[in-house]
Amino acid sequence: MRQEHDSDRPLFMISVAAELAGMHPQTLRLYERRGLVHPQRTAKNTRRYSERDVERLQRIQELTELGLNLAGVERVLAMEQQLETMRREMTLLQSRLSEAAAAMRREVERVERSHRLELVPVPRSEVVRLGRRRRHV
């Protein structure tokens, strides 16, 4: 299993997640009601938090300590998510661009090789002589 999936695995009960994030369990419930965090639920409907959830809670705490209210935190988190999405898209587009540039170079080289067989080298003196003849015609 890949590591990024492991960080999404629900491991921690609310009390443990609250302790890891350095906040009161009631604060986690509030953040869930506000939609800032989405813990998974067990069959008995108890909250389970993943490592990623705890990291998000820590980020929320950082932002509130900087003086942001929850509306500001929501906006910052949304912008951070949008930025991450754009980074992934940019990486993908850069990869596609590199592949397309390599394909174009290969095609140019192929065309150049095919034309080399058709080209006949002409000495410079002959080019000059032919050029003079055209002007006089």
Side-chain angles (χ1 to χ4, degrees):
M1 185 180 279
R2 291 170 43 195
Q3 186 175 356
E4 63 189 38
H5 294 297
D6 287 344
S7 65
D8 289 328
R9 207 169 73 220
L11 300 172
F12 310 112
M13 294 176 56
I14 191 168
S15 59
V16 175
E19 186 176 332
L20 290 170
M23 55 185 67
H24 194 275
Q26 193 61 36
T27 306
L28 274 67
R29 292 182 186 98
L30 169 68
Y31 291 169
E32 182 182 4
R33 281 193 302 274
R34 290 292 302 257
L36 292 171
V37 68
H38 304 282
Q40 296 183 31
R41 299 285 185 146
T42 66
K44 294 185 179 182
N45 206 30
T46 59
R47 293 171 179 88
R48 294 293 172 136
Y49 293 83
S50 67
E51 289 177 25
R52 191 178 309 255
D53 291 330
V54 172
E55 289 169 4
R56 186 172 176 92
L57 290 166
Q58 291 168 338
R59 179 68 177 137
I60 293 167
Q61 185 164 359
E62 289 173 13
L63 294 170
T64 57
E65 287 174 357
L66 290 173
L68 272 69
N69 61 20
L70 291 183
V73 169
E74 289 172 357
R75 187 71 184 126
V76 168
L77 293 175
M79 288 189 299
E80 287 176 346
Q81 179 60 46
Q82 183 180 23
L83 180 61
E84 183 56 34
T85 299
M86 290 188 304
R87 279 187 184 132
R88 283 192 303 269
E89 289 174 359
M90 187 174 69
T91 299
L92 176 63
L93 290 172
Q94 286 173 331
S95 174
R96 288 180 182 172
L97 179 62
S98 294
E99 291 170 6
M104 291 293 284
R105 280 191 297 275
R106 287 190 302 271
E107 181 63 14
V108 166
E109 290 170 1
R110 185 193 66 76
V111 169
E112 285 177 345
R113 281 192 305 272
S114 71
H115 287 293
R116 284 185 191 138
L117 300 174
E118 299 171 6
L119 298 177
V120 177
V122 177
R124 181 154 175 76
S125 60
E126 187 67 20
V127 171
V128 172
R129 188 180 65 75
L130 290 172
R132 286 186 189 142
R133 189 183 319 165
R134 282 194 185 143
R135 283 189 228 139
H136 296 293
V137 172

